[in-house]
Amino acid sequence: MPKKVLVNRFKCAYCGACVSVCKFNANELIETFLQIYEDKCTGCGICVKVCPMGALEVIECST
């Protein structure tokens, strides 16, 4: 089943840690907004592991 990453915007500190570790360039920090490109994201979860705020979560999606 495909996976994707969700951002809790209330927890995200926009530090860019997740952007720096994504080898698929699926994350982009735009001022105070974290954009996750679902077409590039594989749901590997490395960004979730490095997020110091616990603002990211990998979920399974139906499509």
Side-chain angles (χ1 to χ4, degrees), residues 1 5 7 15 23-24 28 31-32 35 39-40 48-49 52 54 57:
M1 188 166 276
V5 175
V7 181
C15 67
K23 56 187 165 189
F24 304 102
E28 182 180 10
E31 293 184 20
T32 57
Q35 174 69 50
D39 59 326
K40 294 181 179 181
V48 175
K49 292 178 184 175
E57 175 185 10

Side-chain angles (χ1 to χ4, degrees), residues 1-2 9 17 25 31 34 37-38 48 52:
M1 188 166 276
R9 308 245 180 243
N25 295 317
E31 293 184 20
L34 176 62
Y37 298 103
E38 292 184 18
V48 175

